[in-house]
Amino acid sequence: MIKLIKPALMMLLIWTLLTGVIYPALVTGLAQGLFPAQANGSILRNRQDKAVGSGLIGQPFSGTLYFWGRPSATAPYPYNAGASSGSNLGPTHPALADAVKHRIEALQAADPGNKSPVPVDLVTASGSGLDPHISPAAAAYQVNRIAHARHIDPKTVLAMVQMHTENRQWGFLGEPRVNVLTLNLALDAIQ
């Protein structure tokens, strides 16, 4: 019996060291050396060097001075990174239709002069509920509201949107997008 236990314990020790210590240390070291910003959460800082969020996780912005991101379906509060999920409501579910209707009404109330169609990503949550990006069309939809609230030229705000529009990853993956947090930080920096 001891003959069987000794090799089993040795294998347990070896595999614990390999998969529980050596491999994680190697991956962590490589990540810190090659991609330090991403390995540490893609933290964004304001002009006072205070951490204000992550470039990978959306944040709730509701004031008229700021661009608004996609709605979040996480619980118990929006953009809860510990509870990433969508709403799980199907496209014909009455609760989803009602939520979209209320979001459209809120956008129209915030900018009553805007008669453009509301981009879908401003009224529907992403699959994770944490998406930090909106489409360039969703950002352009909000330009006049923000320019009016900040008392600056809409062309200046539109130019900032264009400066902060990220292209497709590697030129072919995904769609062009705008990170709401970085854009709002840039707006704060010019005022």
Side-chain angles (χ1 to χ4, degrees):
M1 181 81 148
I2 300 281
K3 277 182 165 179
L4 297 175
I5 292 175
K6 187 176 178 183
L9 288 175
M10 287 304 292
M11 288 304 292
L12 175 66
L13 179 64
I14 289 169
W15 284 111
T16 299
L17 285 172
L18 279 173
T19 61
V21 178
I22 295 170
Y23 178 74
L26 179 68
V27 170
T28 301
L30 283 172
Q32 289 293 332
L34 298 173
F35 310 104
Q38 293 89 335
N40 292 309
S42 299
I43 302 298
L44 298 175
R45 299 181 177 281
N46 62 11
R47 290 182 296 174
Q48 293 78 29
D49 200 39
K50 178 184 173 202
V52 293
S54 169
L56 303 174
I57 298 174
Q59 292 188 5
F61 288 98
S62 58
T64 57
L65 295 172
Y66 294 102
F67 283 90
W68 299 345
R70 290 189 80 159
S72 175
T74 63
Y77 54 87
Y79 303 101
N80 178 5
S84 171
S85 69
S87 68
N88 291 329
L89 299 176
T92 59
H93 197 284
L96 178 62
D98 204 36
V100 167
K101 180 181 171 222
H102 290 301
R103 292 169 185 157
I104 290 172
E105 289 169 356
L107 285 162
Q108 291 172 338
D111 189 8
N114 191 345
K115 301 301 179 201
S116 302
V118 177
V120 71
D121 54 324
L122 286 179
V123 294
T124 57
S126 66
S128 70
L130 302 174
D131 195 351
H133 298 97
I134 56 175
S135 67
Y141 179 85
Q142 302 179 71
V143 164
N144 288 329
R145 171 181 54 85
I146 292 160
H148 179 73
R150 289 182 177 259
H151 308 291
I152 56 178
D153 184 18
K155 290 179 183 175
T156 303
V157 179
L158 187 57
M160 294 196 69
V161 167
Q162 292 166 345
M163 283 177 24
H164 286 85
T165 298
E166 303 169 15
N167 291 321
R168 297 170 185 252
Q169 189 171 13
W170 300 315
F172 67 94
L173 289 178
E175 294 295 324
R177 61 210 175 275
V178 179
N179 188 297
V180 176
L181 179 57
T182 59
L183 181 56
N184 285 334
L185 287 173
L187 276 172
D188 283 346
I190 66 165
Q191 293 214 301

